[in-house]
Amino acid sequence: MISRKKLIAGNWKMNKTSADAATLVGDLVSAIGKQNDVDVVVCPPFTSLESAGKVLEGSTVKLGAQNMHPEASGAFTGEISAPMLRALFATYVILGHSERRSYFAETDAFINKKVHAALKNQLRPILCVGETLAERESGSTLKVVQTQTELGLEGVSKEQAASLVIAYEPVWAIGTGKVATTEQAQEVHAFIRDLLTKLYTAPVAQKVRILYGGSMKPANAPELLAQKDIDGGLIGGASLEARSFVELVNAAIAVK
Ligand code: PGA
């Protein structure tokens, strides 16, 4: 069995000025900036990418963005493109987060365009999928996850697929303190891996990291991260303080 390197990614959402970002990244770099046992990514807001990037230079902590527009440039007021992110040395980008889907009406087709633009620009997409509470209660979790994954990855080749990261984030667990049980999470992660096997073959599916996201905290992380198909976490609230984020990285190191 291929052992996948665990990945802990911090999704800061709309938090931290560029000065605050530099301070937080500085603390992270001192604590975990040299370790290479797990991959660590921070995703600050666009306005903090440059200051965060400067502080993490020379460390093993990597830089990611929280969103981008699929076009490279043009008349898209307020938007940011993949080449702009690359110019700031970002190497990851979160795409299709449920907050983008629900507050900004992003569709699977639009997210798919972003996935292609990211891959074309050597940005690794962290494609987020996940069901709402109503969808879980009506028994359609796996169907929703399947549709979002298939449509989000439409046209992505087998060669490209190996660099993907998928984040399973049940919408009802995001920022609510309600974490999915390890069984609930592992079931969906295994389902996504099976789906990737069908789409891209088993060797490719074995390489793709599938992160769990939704109220992951130092207290619940060890059990989640010990699951066979849970390859890391996409962390919101607990990524905003160095102490809890470092604890999460250490939890991933402990089960690597
Ligand atoms: P949370 O957010 O850890 O605060 O639940 C996770 C996310 O939205 O990526």
Side-chain angles (χ1 to χ4, degrees):
M1 202 186 91
I2 295 177
S3 79
R4 291 172 292 274
K5 199 172 187 178
K6 294 250 191 280
L7 168 61
I8 299 292
N11 174 12
W12 295 7
K13 310 194 179 183
M14 196 171 70
N15 293 290
K16 309 280 178 195
T17 62
S18 65
D20 294 342
T23 306
L24 175 51
V25 173
D27 292 345
L28 297 179
V29 166
S30 321
I32 46 162
K34 298 233 179 311
Q35 69 76 36
N36 229 336
D37 293 329
V38 307
D39 286 334
V40 177
V41 182
V42 289
C43 303
F46 293 136
T47 49
S48 301
L49 283 171
E50 188 161 19
S51 69
K54 281 195 180 127
V55 179
L56 58 76
E57 220 178 286
S59 80
T60 55
V61 177
K62 298 195 176 64
L63 191 63
Q66 299 172 17
N67 180 33
M68 57 170 232
H69 193 275
E71 297 298 329
S73 62
F76 300 99
T77 302
E79 292 294 308
I80 300 285
S81 73
M84 292 171 183
L85 298 178
R86 288 293 296 154
L88 292 177
F89 308 105
T91 47
Y92 287 81
V93 61
I94 299 170
L95 297 175
H97 190 278
S98 64
E99 287 150 19
R100 301 290 322 167
R101 292 176 190 263
S102 66
Y103 304 145
F104 302 95
E106 289 196 9
T107 62
D108 288 310
F110 190 52
I111 294 161
N112 177 248
K113 283 190 184 160
K114 298 183 188 211
V115 169
H116 283 284
L119 290 167
K120 205 173 127 201
N121 287 280
Q122 286 79 51
L123 283 166
R124 282 172 181 256
I126 303 178
L127 173 66
C128 302
V129 299
E131 81 288 1
T132 62
L133 186 59
E135 288 163 342
R136 175 159 285 271
E137 284 174 348
S138 70
S140 50
T141 296
L142 299 181
K143 192 169 164 289
V144 168
V145 166
Q146 176 167 0
T147 304
Q148 290 178 346
T149 308
E150 285 178 350
L151 296 181
L153 297 182
E154 203 168 282
V156 170
S157 71
K158 203 167 107 179
E159 291 69 32
Q160 290 174 315
S163 72
L164 292 170
V165 178
I166 309 275
Y168 168 56
E169 299 205 309
V171 178
W172 48 270
I174 295 178
T176 57
K178 265 192 231 163
V179 65
T181 65
T182 46
E183 293 75 22
Q184 283 172 327
Q186 168 56 28
E187 182 199 10
V188 179
H189 281 237
F191 174 78
I192 294 172
R193 187 135 6 246
D194 277 350
L195 187 58
L196 293 172
T197 303
K198 284 182 201 124
L199 294 172
Y200 298 114
T201 73
V204 173
Q206 287 301 324
K207 281 193 197 141
V208 175
R209 266 111 33 117
I210 307 175
L211 313 183
Y212 171 79
S215 298
M216 200 190 242
K217 304 263 177 316
N220 56 37
E223 203 182 319
L224 285 161
L225 292 171
Q227 301 303 304
K228 183 168 152 277
D229 291 292
I230 301 185
D231 307 313
L234 182 55
I235 320 296
S239 72
L240 295 174
E241 283 188 15
R243 206 166 116 186
S244 44
F245 193 65
V246 167
E247 274 185 56
L248 285 162
V249 171
N250 286 333
I253 293 172
V255 296
K256 85 176 160 72

